[in-house]
Amino acid sequence: MKQTTIKSSVEIKGIGLHTGKESRIIISPAPADTGIVFNFADKDSLKVNVDSMIISTNRGTILAHNGYSIYTVEHILSALNGLEIDNAEIMLEGEEIPSCDGSAKAFVEKLKDAGIEILGKARNIIQLPEPIWIFNGDKGIFALPSDRLSIYYAIEFPWIGKQWIFYEHSPSRYEQEIAPARTFGFEEEIEMLMTEGLAKGGSFLNSIIVGRNGYSSPLRYPDEFVRHKLLDLMGDIYLLGRRINATIFVVKGGHNLHVELVKRIKEVINDR
Ligand SMILES: [Zn+2]
């Protein structure tokens, strides 16, 4: 399989979920072996890989470098990983990737509008040399070597209950079954985040609010919550800087656990 990029540049504007500020990104084609690179309007750039500083929180994944921070990188990275785009440059104006509708749908649509270009160089997909697991109380993540990417994900939350999914990756399945699943938050948690100065851009338009009386909008899938968790994992795992083949099991996961797995994978492949 050859590496890919997009055929032309695309622009996406919107409000950041946490900062509440308007921002704009322009995603452009990049040559083979570039990976995914963020460029700032004043020319500083940041290559996406686990060596850039990653700050994971329960509410999102932040990349930091040279005094710059980029909030909420996981959904755009998820779209790029899901569509198997190996190389792209993302020019960011602002501090946070636009949240759009809280899913990766808008990114997928724009990237597909741009078209996918096949480059002349072979892909270098990460193959796990051995299983890796991380357990933290009743939460856990477990990755096994495989010749393809598949993910089992299970969650349990108040007012949602248990949801689980098995996903065998392909770009068309990603586009149809995962990309449209939206971010969610809980009523009380959102009030708390807002007092901490987060979720400033959070609204019914870019997330599902879950509370005692149900959900703030009709669901796109009955199990939309676990699909969104899987969407986040597809983004966080792309912090490896290239695609991976593995069978990954996650129980009650989140950005912290995803990023811990990414760091452990990086250690294991660097050791060889
Ligand atoms: Zn998310």
Side-chain angles (χ1 to χ4, degrees):
M1 289 292 281
K2 301 281 191 198
Q3 294 182 34
T4 58
T5 186
I6 47 174
K7 285 187 173 148
S8 58
S9 296
V10 284
E11 181 195 79
I12 299 160
K13 280 197 254 187
I15 301 286
L17 181 66
H18 292 302
T19 56
K21 289 182 195 156
E22 180 87 41
S23 68
R24 183 166 87 111
I25 56 172
I26 297 167
I27 313 171
S28 302
D33 297 332
T34 305
I36 309 299
V37 176
F38 285 97
N39 289 315
F40 299 94
D42 53 5
K43 300 276 193 291
D44 209 344
S45 67
L46 170 56
K47 189 170 168 85
V48 172
N49 65 43
V50 77
D51 302 324
S52 39
M53 204 169 115
I54 305 167
I55 306 162
S56 60
T57 70
N58 283 329
R59 304 304 313 164
T61 301
I62 303 166
L63 288 180
H65 166 77
N66 261 358
Y68 292 92
S69 303
I70 319 173
Y71 288 78
T72 323
V73 292
E74 62 272 18
H75 299 167
I76 179 71
L77 290 179
S78 181
L80 291 161
N81 192 11
L83 295 180
E84 301 185 353
I85 298 167
D86 304 286
N87 305 289
E89 285 193 16
I90 304 170
M91 212 279 290
L92 171 67
E93 270 175 20
E95 298 186 304
E96 183 170 11
I97 308 297
S99 61
C100 306
D101 68 354
S103 76
K105 192 166 175 267
F107 301 124
V108 164
E109 284 167 358
K110 287 280 184 175
L111 292 166
K112 287 197 75 183
D113 284 350
I116 292 172
E117 169 110 7
I118 297 172
L119 300 167
K121 244 179 144 176
R123 248 184 201 146
N124 184 9
I125 298 182
I126 295 169
Q127 307 290 341
L128 277 183
E130 61 185 37
I132 295 173
W133 55 82
I134 299 159
F135 292 101
N136 182 3
D138 64 347
K139 302 173 165 61
I141 195 162
F142 179 30
L144 286 172
S146 175
D147 61 356
R148 68 197 66 200
L149 176 63
S150 46
I151 302 169
Y152 296 79
Y153 213 120
I155 56 171
E156 185 176 22
F157 285 105
W159 301 307
I160 292 174
K162 287 184 177 174
Q163 294 198 335
W164 60 97
I165 191 169
F166 169 58
Y167 169 74
E168 273 186 300
H169 170 69
S170 75
S172 63
R173 279 196 73 181
Y174 176 82
E175 185 189 348
Q176 284 155 30
E177 299 173 22
I178 306 300
R182 290 161 298 166
T183 308
F184 58 97
F186 296 87
E187 241 162 38
E188 307 95 78
E189 189 194 25
I190 285 166
E191 285 162 16
M192 201 180 72
L193 285 168
M194 283 176 149
T195 55
E196 284 172 12
L198 286 168
K200 283 178 185 153
S203 76
F204 297 115
L205 298 177
N206 58 17
S207 44
I208 310 167
I209 317 287
V210 179
R212 198 163 274 110
N213 302 317
Y215 310 136
S216 59
S217 71
L219 298 182
R220 291 178 176 172
Y221 311 93
D223 57 354
E224 185 166 359
F225 305 102
V226 74
R227 288 176 195 243
H228 186 79
K229 287 289 190 173
L230 204 149
L231 183 159
D232 282 340
L233 175 62
M234 287 288 286
D236 288 333
I237 202 137
Y238 214 23
L239 293 165
L240 284 164
R242 50 200 172 98
R243 297 189 36 246
I244 181 168
N245 282 336
T247 303
I248 304 174
F249 299 80
V250 195
V251 178
K252 299 175 94 171
H255 295 295
N256 292 321
L257 211 50
H258 301 165
V259 169
E260 258 189 79
L261 177 73
V262 165
K263 290 181 174 169
R264 289 284 297 280
I265 292 172
K266 189 78 181 193
E267 281 168 20
V268 168
I269 56 180
N270 281 348
D271 278 355
R272 310 254 155 179

